[in-house]
Amino acid sequence: MEKIKIKYFTDAIEKLCYIDGKSDWIDLRCAEEISLKKGEFRLIPLGVAMELPRGYEAHIVPRSSTYKNFGIIQTNHCGIVDESYCGNNDQWFMPVIAMRDTEIHVNDRVCQFRIMEHQPALEFEECEALEGADRGGFGSTGKA
């Protein structure tokens, strides 16, 4: 089991743990009281900094209930924190835009993360045609 050094910037948020023991995602919580007006942008402090293992990165995404509960959208849709962001003051944040007036309280669960290995080095080989089945060219359904 990997050990990750973590610094908490406040005692007001719960310590990190897996989501209800059912998932390998880990909730992140708002570290201060925040009020947003519709259309306002804000970096939500998550109250933690970590030293990730070499070759790993954290993927930060909203929880499924984040929009319903708070009316916010993560502006980068998926935040990536790599192992170089590991200093004593490198607190994690969630960049959001408010779609309605909202309040987010200390310890509210606003997003989640998981640790992933970096993608291996890839080499692209140009070709005239691909050999896979043609599904119509749009997403997983193959329909526009």
Side-chain angles (χ1 to χ4, degrees), residues 70-129:
F70 306 109
I72 57 174
I73 294 174
Q74 185 173 344
T75 58
N76 58 355
H77 302 291
C78 178
I80 307 297
V81 177
D82 69 25
E83 76 271 21
S84 70
Y85 192 70
C86 62
N88 196 47
N89 293 306
D90 288 337
Q91 180 174 196
W92 291 11
F93 290 85
M94 179 188 188
V96 301
I97 189 163
M99 304 310 288
R100 60 174 163 84
D101 291 357
T102 190
E103 290 189 5
I104 306 167
H105 302 289
V106 171
N107 211 42
D108 280 346
R109 297 179 298 166
V110 292
C111 56
Q112 58 191 337
F113 80 100
R114 71 182 307 171
I115 307 293
M116 309 279 292
E117 269 190 277
H118 288 303
Q119 177 171 282
L122 302 172
E123 181 180 331
F124 295 96
E125 179 183 343
E126 190 173 343
C127 64
E128 292 295 320

Side-chain angles (χ1 to χ4, degrees), residues 10-76:
T10 178
D11 292 331
I13 60 172
E14 291 182 28
K15 303 299 185 199
L16 297 186
C17 64
Y18 286 108
I19 299 173
D20 297 329
K22 298 182 268 186
S23 173
D24 61 354
W25 288 84
I26 300 167
D27 283 336
L28 291 165
R29 297 169 181 273
C30 183
E32 66 183 50
E33 294 292 319
I34 293 180
S35 293
L36 294 168
K37 298 289 185 198
K38 181 179 179 179
E40 191 175 358
F41 171 82
R42 178 78 186 266
L43 292 173
I44 296 177
L46 301 172
V48 297
M50 295 180 215
E51 282 187 27
L52 299 177
R54 187 169 186 73
Y56 286 82
E57 61 197 23
H59 293 202
I60 302 171
V61 299
R63 299 180 75 245
S64 60
S65 61
T66 296
Y67 184 79
K68 173 183 69 74
N69 290 343
F70 306 109
I72 57 174
I73 294 174
Q74 185 173 344
T75 58
N76 58 355

